[in-house]
Amino acid sequence: MSAAPPTARAGTLSRAILYAILAVFAIIYLMPLYVMLTTSFKTLDEIHQGNMLALPSNWTIQPWLEAWGSACIGLECNGVHGYFFNSIRIVVPAVLISGLLGAFNGYVLTKWRFRGHKIVFGLILFSCFIPFQIILLPMARVLGILHVANSTTGLVLVHIVYGIGFTTLFFRNYYETFPNELIRAAQLDGAGFFTIFFRILLPASTPIIVVTIIWQFTNVWNDFLFGVSFASGDSAPITVALNNLVNSSTGVKAYNVNMAAAMVAAVPTLIVYILAGKYFLRGLMSGSVKG
Amino acid sequence: MPNSPSRQGGGARAHLQRWLPKLVLSPSFVLVLFFVYGFILWTTYISFSNSGMLPDYSWAGLRQWSRLWNSWTWGIALHNIWVFGLLYIVSCITLGLLLAILLDQRIRAEGALRTIYLYPMALSFIVTGTAWQWFLNPGLGLEKTMHELGWTSFSFNWLINSEMAIYTIVIAAVWQATGFIMAMFLAGLRGIDGEMIKAAQIDGAPTWKIYLRIIIPQLRPVFLSAVVVLAHLAIKSFDLIVAMTGGGPGNSTAVPATFMYSYAFSRNEMGIAAASAVFMLAVIAALIIPYLYSELRESRS
């Protein structure tokens, strides 16, 4: 539905106001990104003298090189690149495994229902909404017992466990609308549980796979609480490294390097959002809002 | 819905086929039972124990809980989450609805504008906090820029003002989440049946009246979802505060999430930390369980 089409001359003025308001909001929304980006290409001198909104008068990529390779985080002065790769090492397995488990769960909960399936789903779903503070203390102990504390492996485990709720929700809602007749026909032909999944459902699942991957990717990449609680030091993800860099109290604050490091942390999710945001939104709207 | 395949064919294979679905689901279910519900029970028990730096399973009754409620910082944290949560939810919903309605007027560049309003959602709170901390930096950021532009009396030092710092966090948080709420409302608007609206238009009702009387009331489910999503995000708020103010100046921007973290990992007071976590869970559960229950019930019909 769209509201009244503008008619007559009275419309022209109100259209102009409408576009003006939308443009002002667009500027406000873009401002922090613009400031972050331009600051990352300025020299410290220029930052101290000049106007935050001005473009750099001397463009320099030095802050980016420093942020990537030589800025000091804690006692180490190797920049954020190691932490960037930590995040990749965490994100890839965590997204794939939690996605696969969610797909199987969604399949079972819609096409192979058993007595109590709703309770099982409700229990899994609730795990999306718990404040993670409730699991921090026992999780720290369990990771210690499993000898994966302060490691990327430990974080992969954590993200898989707490990702299952959302991935199950997405696939369950998607498979709910998938025609049961097709499943039944395949069963009559003698197809088994896995054959039906891999031959019939999975090939039709591209939209929800995209949504799940984007959702999990951004969630895991942007995580800070688990990273800072369970992986201090060398195994920390990029968000923790960025926070340590920016909020370290020693030395002169290199705002340009901080902003370059923030951009490094932001680029992967921004790229994903710009490339696939449309599918994400469409899927999210049809999937997550309804139970 | 097809149920477990035919029972007539006996043998091991049929048996396996019947159990396979549950077998496939069970690893996830066991993980969730242990890592969610088991952990909830453990933390709840710890909140009634004598635990300090290490877990101590001796029963202490309400000792940790009374220490929590007598804590000055916890009082500030509760006050802050209330102020922050309320402003955050109201602002996001107001702005999100406004933007959705504006974008719904057959706007030429709708796709591009939507992308612009939504991109902050893709960023981590740590990146957002870093950007806003810089943007609102009293010495160099917005304030200095305004002075450069000739507005020399302009002053904006909320970030380092203990009375006002919590509001800077509201600004950044609203900036981050409005786009998402806008998208929810936009989806809601697009789903509304056009018949009544056409009728009202024929009657000559002005657009604002149509929105107020017909369209917005129909968005009730979206309002509910938005409140639940935002309240849940607010109670979980941690990253943004750590990145922007570190809970300071002093304790002025402490919230339950930062309180819990500092008692758990810096002050080594497991018992109080556990009690504060249980309290957070209780508040969220009171919000979420009725919501999930009604959503799951609806999908049955």
Side-chain angles (χ1 to χ4, degrees):
Chain A
M1 178 281 353
S2 244
T7 45
R9 254 165 295 154
T12 323
L13 182 64
S14 65
R15 293 302 277 181
I17 295 171
L18 185 64
Y19 277 100
I21 298 173
L22 288 170
V24 167
F25 272 106
I27 291 170
I28 295 172
Y29 275 88
L30 285 172
M31 192 77 84
L33 184 66
Y34 167 82
V35 169
M36 205 159 68
L37 202 57
T38 50
T39 307
S40 74
F41 288 108
K42 286 177 182 174
T43 63
L44 257 189
D45 275 348
E46 198 182 336
I47 290 169
H48 283 289
Q49 290 158 18
N51 179 329
M52 178 177 65
L53 301 177
L55 282 170
S57 53
N58 299 311
W59 289 81
T60 168
I61 58 159
Q62 198 56 40
W64 283 75
L65 297 177
E66 226 173 285
W68 184 253
S70 66
C72 296
I73 292 152
L75 298 171
E76 308 267 336
C77 294
N78 299 319
V80 297
H81 74 275
Y83 305 97
F84 183 87
F85 293 120
N86 280 349
S87 280
I88 290 180
R89 266 198 294 277
I90 296 164
V91 163
V92 174
V95 169
L96 292 181
I97 296 171
S98 65
L100 192 67
L101 287 174
F104 277 131
N105 295 347
Y107 171 49
V108 172
L109 287 170
T110 53
K111 305 303 172 205
W112 297 84
R113 282 179 174 162
F114 48 88
R115 197 193 257 279
H117 69 93
K118 234 167 195 173
I119 294 168
V120 170
F121 178 56
L123 285 172
I124 294 179
L125 190 57
F126 183 65
S127 71
C128 302
F129 294 99
I130 57 167
F132 289 125
Q133 280 74 17
I134 196 79
I135 56 90
L136 286 186
L137 292 165
M139 185 53 117
R141 294 193 68 74
V142 167
L143 291 179
I145 291 165
L146 296 175
H147 297 291
V148 287
N150 282 326
S151 75
T152 50
T153 317
L155 281 181
V156 170
L157 173 71
V158 174
H159 284 299
I160 290 172
V161 171
Y162 300 106
I164 288 175
F166 275 113
T167 57
T168 302
L169 170 69
F170 290 157
F171 279 101
R172 183 257 188 199
N173 284 356
Y174 188 76
Y175 290 150
E176 186 102 295
T177 60
F178 194 88
N180 287 329
E181 291 71 28
L182 281 174
I183 314 283
R184 214 174 302 224
Q187 265 181 339
L188 290 177
D189 287 346
F193 178 83
F194 285 112
T195 317
I196 294 173
F197 180 71
F198 285 108
R199 293 278 174 79
I200 300 175
L201 276 144
L202 207 57
S205 303
T206 316
I208 202 62
I209 291 173
V210 172
V211 169
T212 307
I213 289 179
I214 298 171
W215 176 268
Q216 281 298 87
F217 178 88
T218 25
N219 264 356
V220 176
W221 186 273
N222 289 342
D223 162 68
F224 175 72
L225 181 64
F226 291 148
V228 77
S229 306
F230 307 134
S232 49
D234 276 351
S235 56
I238 182 90
T239 47
V240 174
L242 173 63
N243 188 55
N244 288 343
L245 174 71
V246 173
N247 290 323
S248 75
S249 45
T250 51
V252 183
K253 280 216 183 252
Y255 296 105
N256 50 1
V257 176
N258 292 353
M259 291 306 128
M263 285 306 301
V264 170
V267 159
T269 49
L270 275 182
I271 290 177
V272 165
Y273 169 69
I274 290 166
L275 290 184
K278 220 173 16 181
Y279 304 97
F280 175 60
L281 210 71
R282 208 178 295 154
L284 204 61
M285 290 300 97
S286 63
S288 82
V289 179
K290 294 186 214 118
Chain B
M1 148 201 92
N3 225 315
S4 325
S6 51
R7 274 149 209 255
Q8 69 257 29
R13 194 169 173 276
H15 206 68
L16 181 70
Q17 282 291 329
R18 205 174 312 148
W19 280 97
L20 209 46
K22 286 177 195 166
L23 215 61
V24 165
L25 188 71
S26 57
S28 298
F29 191 59
V30 168
L31 284 176
V32 168
L33 276 188
F34 180 74
F35 284 98
V36 177
Y37 298 94
F39 280 12
I40 288 175
L41 290 178
W42 192 88
T43 305
T44 309
Y45 184 82
I46 289 295
S47 79
F48 293 104
S49 75
N50 280 310
S51 303
M53 199 165 112
L54 292 168
D56 169 346
Y57 298 103
S58 62
W59 185 258
L62 290 172
R63 195 173 79 98
Q64 309 286 4
W65 285 88
S66 75
R67 288 174 70 206
L68 175 71
W69 286 97
N70 288 323
S71 153
W72 178 247
T73 331
W74 179 247
I76 298 174
L78 281 185
H79 174 76
N80 279 339
I81 195 65
W82 179 236
V83 171
F84 170 77
L86 201 68
L87 280 173
Y88 172 64
I89 293 171
V90 171
S91 318
C92 280
I93 288 184
T94 315
L95 276 176
L97 178 61
L98 176 73
L99 288 175
I101 289 176
L102 294 180
L103 272 189
D104 197 35
Q105 310 301 314
R106 302 185 179 183
I107 292 300
R108 197 161 301 186
E110 193 195 313
L113 285 168
R114 227 173 27 201
T115 308
I116 291 172
Y117 299 152
L118 255 169
Y119 85 88
M121 193 191 68
L123 302 176
S124 94
F125 281 113
I126 298 299
V127 170
T128 306
T130 305
W132 279 90
Q133 187 193 41
W134 164 234
F135 196 70
L136 300 177
N137 180 317
L140 290 164
L142 191 62
E143 188 174 283
K144 181 156 187 265
T145 305
M146 287 302 173
H147 293 179
E148 297 264 329
L149 294 174
W151 187 356
T152 48
S153 61
F154 182 88
S155 126
F156 194 88
N157 65 352
W158 286 10
L159 199 61
I160 53 164
N161 178 338
S162 57
E163 295 279 304
M164 306 306 283
I166 189 78
Y167 300 104
T168 60
I169 292 166
V170 175
I171 297 173
V174 169
W175 175 79
Q176 178 134 13
T178 319
F180 183 60
I181 301 302
M182 173 208 73
M184 286 173 73
F185 277 118
L186 205 51
L189 286 173
R190 299 279 148 89
I192 287 177
D193 174 35
E195 288 301 309
M196 272 170 81
I197 295 157
K198 279 207 191 88
Q201 277 170 353
I202 291 165
D203 286 349
T207 312
W208 65 267
K209 216 170 195 171
I210 295 178
Y211 270 101
L212 213 60
R213 294 275 170 77
I214 302 173
I215 298 176
I216 292 177
Q218 289 193 51
L219 292 175
R220 213 182 58 88
V222 187
F223 277 98
L224 182 66
S225 304
V227 169
V228 169
V229 168
L230 290 168
H232 164 250
L233 284 176
I235 296 169
K236 287 216 280 198
S237 62
F238 172 74
D239 313 12
L240 190 62
I241 290 171
V242 170
M244 269 182 85
T245 62
N251 280 317
S252 61
T253 51
V255 290
T258 59
F259 178 96
M260 190 276 166
Y261 185 83
S262 82
Y263 274 78
F265 294 108
S266 336
R267 299 188 184 209
N268 294 318
E269 290 263 22
M270 256 193 191
I272 294 191
S276 67
V278 172
F279 180 79
M280 291 172 69
L281 177 72
V283 173
I284 289 190
L287 259 165
I288 297 286
I289 290 176
Y291 175 74
L292 285 184
Y293 185 73
S294 72
E295 292 278 301
L296 284 177
R297 257 171 64 99
E298 254 168 49
S299 69
R300 185 182 302 159
S301 56

